[in-house]
Amino acid sequence: MKPSLLNTIILNFGLASMYAVSSIISQQFGVIPPGNATAIFAPSGIAFVAIFFFGYKVAPGVLLGSFMGNNNLYLPNFALIGFSVALAIGIGAMIEGSLGVYLLKKFGNRERPFEQVRSVWIFILLSALASCLVNATIGSSALVLGGFAPPAVHGNIWLTWWLGDAAGVVILAPLFIVWRHLPKPSNDGKLVLQAVLSFIALMAIGTIAFVGGFPIEYLFIPILVFIVLRFGLHGATLGIFLVAGFAIWGAVNGNGAFVRADVNDSLLLLQAFIGTVMFTALTLSAADKERQTATKALAETNHTLEKRVIERTQDLEIAKNEAESASRSKTLFIAQMSHEFRTPLNAVIGYSDILQMGMLGDMTPDQTERIGFIKQNASRLLGLINDTLDIAQIEAGKLTLTESRVNTQYFFDELLQGVKSLTAKKQITIKTVYHQTIPERILIDAPKIQQIIVNLVGNAVKFTPEGVITIEIGANMPNEWFFAVRDTGIGMSAESVKQLFEQYTRIADATTKSIEGTGLGLSITKRLVEFLGGTVDVQSVLGQGSVFTVNLPLKPL
């Protein structure tokens, strides 16, 4: 015989023996009619637990155990009709246990069914109440049809049988299923003391209520709630078992609040009390377990998220350092190359001037014109290199603030006098307007202000074929001064204004194709203004001109 088959046979006979013995003991408490139905039928819980642990292969052991147990009571002479009744009850018990386990594993949590509220309700409604209808119906009908119970009490037997089997399942199944995983031993003396005192309190209340006869059963509820919240499922199932034991003991001995003149009423009250206590405690413990699981999952998620954030921050820091290093290398390269380019370009421009002035001999008009082209393009390239060098210095953070006191009107007059040369080839008039709000002397970084104004005026000259360029200087509040460059040029669209200060951005339309420029001047201007702690604003209407306004802090002298 194969070991697996032998083990299955041993399991079935062991379960049959356990079922039969517990059935005989449970039937000693049967009262409707005497010896036929019991309030709590323990074998139903044993059958459920065995099938849950070992699978449906032990279901025949339930049938055999039920048959043996019922023969002891109903078939003292092994009558043929009694054999049939016992066999029917055994088949009902086997179907009941198998169906209960199937429904729980099908719709509930297969491994830990009492750690979720939904699974607890499935256990109660399907595995206990619904499944136990099977054996109650088959068994009570078999007793009546076999002549072992009068038809008048068929309904009472069916109801008590059903609730008795259900009570056996709900009391024993959670206890064995939960306690198969033993709780971790606690070294917390305070927690151990609380556990001992809690169960002493349950026993004291049970003794007073079901032995002494004082109606204080409601005191079980707060103690069970404390046990559930403090000790979880293990405490809850053990507490339920203890409370049910006291209630059954009291009812059997005629003590407690559930004893009535009608025995069936007593059983129904007892079963309702046990069911309520069990339902409340299991649901509460499952809800608390779900809360603990969710809290733990949230903590793990937070820890994982925090770890990812740290890792991501480190990656970003590395990337930032690499980018900054690359930017510094790029800036250094640009600065060095710009310097190297400017030296020969200045020489080209210088020699072009010498040739144009005839210092090396007379030149033909055609030669003079060609040398002019050389000088013009060299100057343009030098301007591009200077702009690129300015951008590199700004990005490298090498700008320094060098402030000095200047006479406002004298400074701008001198500055704009030099700028007027930009309009030599155009019919443009430059006007200067000084508002009375501007102080006579101000504290500024003169070189940077000069570069900003030259860029803005040069830009206005480029895009103004003819007309007027007006420079206004004033103060619009006690701690801020401004200068504005207003032209009557071609203006810009709103879309062009949005991109105006980006590097290498130029207005692209038919009217600007012939206008030279690198697209760096305004970008440099904006960065210089921001370095000085100010802002630059643009207002423009296409075809009507533009106004560039620079606002800067007015520092006290």
Side-chain angles (χ1 to χ4, degrees):
M1 184 178 295
K2 294 182 179 179
S4 58
L5 178 59
L6 180 61
N7 290 338
T8 300
I9 293 173
I10 294 174
L11 283 174
N12 275 277
F13 274 102
L15 175 59
S17 302
M18 186 181 299
Y19 192 104
V21 172
S22 61
S23 176
I24 294 169
I25 295 173
S26 296
Q27 289 170 20
Q28 304 308 309
F29 301 99
V31 291
I32 301 179
N36 287 346
T38 179
I40 308 295
F41 194 62
S44 62
I46 293 173
F48 184 94
V49 170
I51 296 173
F52 183 88
F53 285 161
F54 302 108
Y56 304 109
K57 63 184 179 181
V58 298
V62 176
L63 189 155
L64 179 60
S66 176
F67 176 80
M68 293 165 57
N70 284 306
N71 261 305
N72 177 75
L73 182 63
Y74 300 130
L75 307 176
N77 298 318
F78 293 97
L80 184 60
I81 185 65
F83 179 91
S84 300
V85 171
L87 182 61
I89 295 174
I91 293 173
M94 179 179 67
I95 296 174
E96 175 183 281
S98 301
L99 179 62
V101 172
Y102 171 79
L103 292 175
L104 180 61
K105 291 190 174 182
K106 175 69 175 179
F107 301 106
N109 188 314
R110 297 176 61 89
E111 299 300 324
R112 297 178 181 270
F114 303 105
E115 295 185 3
Q116 295 177 349
V117 173
R118 175 179 174 276
S119 190
V120 166
W121 286 25
I122 288 172
F123 167 74
I124 295 170
L125 296 176
L126 299 182
S127 298
L129 295 178
S131 299
C132 289
L133 288 170
V134 174
N135 200 26
T137 302
I138 294 176
S140 61
S141 299
L143 287 177
V144 172
L145 293 175
F148 293 95
V153 296
H154 186 192
N156 288 342
I157 294 176
W158 177 86
L159 180 61
T160 308
W161 194 317
W162 172 45
L163 295 178
D165 277 14
V169 172
V170 299
I171 291 174
L172 294 181
L175 182 68
F176 283 101
I177 292 174
V178 169
W179 278 86
R180 66 171 172 164
H181 302 290
L182 295 177
K184 295 180 180 179
S186 175
N187 296 324
D188 187 347
K190 182 179 179 181
L191 190 66
V192 173
L193 179 61
Q194 289 176 351
V196 172
L197 292 178
S198 297
F199 284 96
I200 289 176
L202 285 182
M203 295 177 68
I205 294 170
T207 302
I208 294 171
F210 295 109
V211 177
F214 292 93
I216 60 170
E217 295 81 4
Y218 57 88
L219 292 180
F220 280 125
I221 301 299
I223 303 299
L224 279 176
V225 170
F226 175 79
I227 290 174
V228 166
L229 297 179
R230 199 74 176 112
F231 308 105
L233 278 170
H234 290 85
T237 53
L238 195 58
I240 292 170
F241 183 77
L242 189 61
V243 171
F246 270 108
I248 295 169
W249 176 266
V252 168
N253 289 279
N255 294 321
F258 309 120
V259 177
R260 295 291 186 273
D262 187 284
V263 176
N264 191 60
D265 290 345
S266 299
L267 292 176
L268 293 178
L269 287 174
L270 174 63
Q271 290 163 339
F273 171 75
I274 293 174
T276 302
V277 169
M278 176 278 310
F279 178 82
T280 302
L282 285 183
T283 301
L284 182 60
S285 61
D288 186 59
K289 185 65 177 180
E290 286 184 345
R291 179 191 61 81
Q292 292 178 12
T293 302
T295 302
K296 183 179 179 181
L298 180 61
E300 291 177 353
T301 300
N302 289 338
H303 176 72
T304 302
L305 181 61
E306 182 180 356
K307 184 178 178 182
R308 289 180 179 176
V309 168
I310 293 174
E311 292 175 351
R312 183 59 177 162
T313 302
Q314 291 173 345
D315 292 342
L316 290 175
E317 186 68 24
I318 293 172
K320 174 177 174 290
N321 292 337
E322 291 177 349
E324 289 177 347
S325 177
S327 178
R328 285 192 296 269
S329 299
K330 177 202 72 174
T331 301
L332 180 61
F333 172 77
I334 291 174
Q336 290 175 342
M337 294 306 295
S338 297
H339 175 74
E340 296 299 326
F341 285 149
R342 287 201 303 177
T343 300
L345 276 174
N346 284 323
V348 171
I349 294 170
Y351 282 115
S352 298
D353 288 335
I354 292 173
L355 290 173
Q356 280 186 322
M357 289 186 293
M359 296 176 65
L360 298 179
D362 294 335
M363 303 186 68
T364 66
D366 185 58
Q367 289 173 332
T368 302
E369 183 182 4
R370 299 301 175 93
I371 291 174
F373 289 153
I374 293 173
K375 180 181 176 182
Q376 182 181 2
N377 283 281
S379 298
R380 187 185 305 169
L381 182 57
L382 182 60
L384 175 59
I385 291 172
N386 287 334
D387 287 344
T388 304
L389 184 58
D390 288 338
I391 288 289
Q393 288 177 334
I394 292 171
E395 289 182 347
K398 292 185 177 182
L399 290 180
T400 57
L401 190 63
T402 306
E403 294 181 319
S404 60
R405 296 180 180 87
V406 299
N407 181 289
T408 309
Q409 187 167 346
Y410 178 80
F411 172 78
F412 279 98
D413 284 346
E414 287 288 321
L415 176 59
L416 295 174
Q417 189 63 36
V419 172
K420 288 181 179 179
S421 62
L422 299 174
T423 65
K425 296 181 180 180
K426 289 187 175 184
Q427 295 180 353
I428 297 175
T429 301
I430 295 183
K431 294 182 179 181
T432 307
V433 177
Y434 293 98
H435 292 264
Q436 294 181 351
T437 54
I438 190 71
E440 183 180 354
R441 297 178 65 82
I442 57 177
L443 184 67
I444 61 172
D445 188 325
K448 293 180 179 61
I449 296 295
Q450 180 178 357
Q451 188 175 359
I452 292 170
I453 291 179
V454 169
N455 282 346
L456 291 179
V457 174
N459 188 74
V461 171
K462 284 181 185 179
F463 296 98
T464 305
E466 59 181 8
V468 180
I469 296 175
T470 304
I471 294 93
E472 296 183 36
I473 302 99
N476 50 21
M477 61 177 64
N479 59 350
E480 185 177 85
W481 70 285
F482 73 92
F483 60 87
V485 178
R486 185 187 308 273
D487 65 63
T488 57
I490 63 175
M492 296 174 286
S493 65
E495 190 65 29
S496 297
V497 171
K498 292 179 182 179
Q499 305 174 4
L500 193 59
F501 293 106
E502 297 179 8
Q503 292 183 24
Y504 308 106
T505 297
R506 300 184 61 208
I507 300 174
D509 57 39
T511 63
T512 63
K513 287 183 178 180
S514 61
I515 298 176
E516 299 175 356
T518 62
L520 288 174
L522 290 178
S523 176
I524 293 172
T525 298
K526 183 174 186 294
R527 294 194 182 196
L528 288 174
V529 170
E530 291 175 346
F531 174 77
L532 295 175
T535 59
V536 58
D537 179 59
V538 184
Q539 293 181 343
S540 185
V541 178
L542 192 62
Q544 299 182 23
S546 306
V547 181
F548 288 79
T549 303
V550 175
N551 297 288
L552 294 166
L554 182 59
K555 300 181 180 180
L557 296 176

